[in-house]
Amino acid sequence: MTTALSAPSSAPPVPAGVDGLRLDERVAARYADLPPQERKGADVLLEHFGDLATYSAAELATLAGVSKATMSRLFRSLGFDDFTQVRDHLRALRGHGLPMTLGSATDLDAHAEAEGAAVRCAVAALAVHLDAVADLLAHAPRVVVVGLRTSYPVALHLRQQLTQVRPQVALLPQPGQSWSEDVVDLSPQDAVVLVAFRRRPPGVRALAERLRAAGTPVVLLADPTARALATHVTWWVECPVQTRGAFDSYAAASSVVALLADAVLTRRGRTGEQRVTAIDSAYRTLGEVEAR
């Protein structure tokens, strides 16, 4: 999650290139067409987008494990002549205070349209795997939902929805706790939903690698910067979070959570419906929610 800076009125125009897109948007738009080595470089650009200007092209190549020539080809693939032009682009973005705050009705309309597009993109990504993922989450003996930092609220919401329709749904990590004790016993019969939006701690990749080695199916809910992480999981549901406002938006992720929970309820059938009814009765008996 990033905060906005005030944009001075004298800021230079943002270099937009031939397509009018920012660097991160260009990477997202062209990633699928990049050669494998350039994809490694693109992953580094996304992972370090907030502080790219502090690196040299050679340092970025080292981080990506590719040659300087590969990074140069990547910059050209993204519409820049060289890394100097990338730096100019990044400085201009900072000068404009991007991400920018919303300030007019036109901006609000654009925000609503962008949110709708993000939701459609996430729903389309989910549709590819919906049957397999919903079956897994409905019938696995245990489901573990993992989320850290800004991913935690989405993970908490998903756990709350799933536990409405099935038992044995855990949320990790618990406040102030590590997760090793809870994941060490996971088996290929269990299921993990890894919520991992950008600004992920480095331990997330180690966790995904361990789960893959254990044969535990993993569903990844994450934004486009998780492409490298996605190679270690069973299914990846891409949920865009990028906006032109000051903060990331999790509207698409919330929509995916609702769709997943509904699909799991459908697959749980009568058992799921009975659980929903029992929980509703407990709410009223214990006075946890307002009476309707």
Side-chain angles (χ1 to χ4, degrees), residues 119-120 122-127 130 133-134 137 157-158 161-162 237 252-267:
V119 169
R120 289 191 292 274
V123 169
L126 175 62
L130 181 58
V133 170
L137 299 184
H157 182 45
L158 177 57
Q161 297 297 87
L162 290 180
V237 180
S254 295
S255 183
V256 165
V257 166
L259 287 170
L260 265 181
D262 187 73
V264 171
L265 174 59
T266 298
R267 284 157 177 79

Side-chain angles (χ1 to χ4, degrees), residues 54-132:
T54 65
Y55 293 91
S56 67
E59 289 170 333
L60 292 173
T62 299
L63 286 172
V66 301
S67 67
K68 290 188 288 186
T70 295
M71 290 303 296
S72 295
R73 287 194 296 272
L74 172 62
F75 298 143
R76 290 193 292 272
S77 296
L78 297 176
F80 300 99
D81 292 336
D82 51 31
F83 189 57
T84 298
Q85 196 172 79
V86 175
R87 283 180 180 274
D88 291 341
H89 176 80
L90 295 170
R91 290 192 185 103
L93 292 180
R94 179 170 293 183
H96 275 261
L98 290 177
M100 297 172 64
T101 57
L102 301 171
S104 69
T106 301
D107 291 330
L108 292 176
D109 289 343
H111 173 76
E113 291 177 4
E115 292 287 84
V119 169
R120 289 191 292 274
C121 179
V123 169
L126 175 62
V128 176
H129 310 299
L130 181 58
D131 288 340

Side-chain angles (χ1 to χ4, degrees), residues 69-272:
T70 295
M71 290 303 296
S72 295
R73 287 194 296 272
L74 172 62
F75 298 143
R76 290 193 292 272
S77 296
L78 297 176
F80 300 99
D81 292 336
D82 51 31
F83 189 57
T84 298
Q85 196 172 79
V86 175
R87 283 180 180 274
D88 291 341
H89 176 80
L90 295 170
R91 290 192 185 103
L93 292 180
R94 179 170 293 183
H96 275 261
L98 290 177
M100 297 172 64
T101 57
L102 301 171
S104 69
T106 301
D107 291 330
L108 292 176
D109 289 343
H111 173 76
E113 291 177 4
E115 292 287 84
V119 169
R120 289 191 292 274
C121 179
V123 169
L126 175 62
V128 176
H129 310 299
L130 181 58
D131 288 340
V133 170
D135 286 342
L136 173 71
L137 299 184
H139 302 302
R142 292 180 294 176
V143 174
V144 174
V145 184
V146 182
L148 287 168
R149 302 188 76 250
T150 54
S151 299
Y152 189 84
V154 177
L156 177 63
H157 182 45
L158 177 57
R159 187 266 172 187
Q160 178 62 20
Q161 297 297 87
L162 290 180
T163 201
Q164 296 280 324
V165 302
R166 57 153 296 155
Q168 298 297 318
V169 183
L171 176 67
L172 297 180
Q174 292 298 307
Q177 302 298 310
S178 56
W179 54 35
S180 296
E181 302 88 341
D182 296 284
V183 302
V184 69
D185 294 324
L186 290 174
S187 73
Q189 286 69 50
D190 298 316
V192 172
V193 181
L194 180 56
V195 186
F197 293 104
R198 61 186 182 179
R199 297 297 187 181
R200 295 172 290 276
V204 172
R205 179 173 296 190
L207 174 62
E209 291 172 349
R210 179 183 177 85
L211 292 170
R212 182 177 66 171
T216 306
V218 178
V219 181
L220 175 66
L221 301 186
D223 64 284
T225 66
R227 287 185 176 89
L229 182 62
T231 61
H232 301 290
V233 304
T234 315
W235 299 282
W236 174 32
V237 180
E238 182 178 331
C239 300
V241 296
Q242 177 70 43
T243 70
R244 292 187 178 274
F247 303 97
D248 287 346
S249 169
Y250 300 92
S254 295
S255 183
V256 165
V257 166
L259 287 170
L260 265 181
D262 187 73
V264 171
L265 174 59
T266 298
R267 284 157 177 79
R268 294 288 294 181
R270 182 61 179 162
T271 301

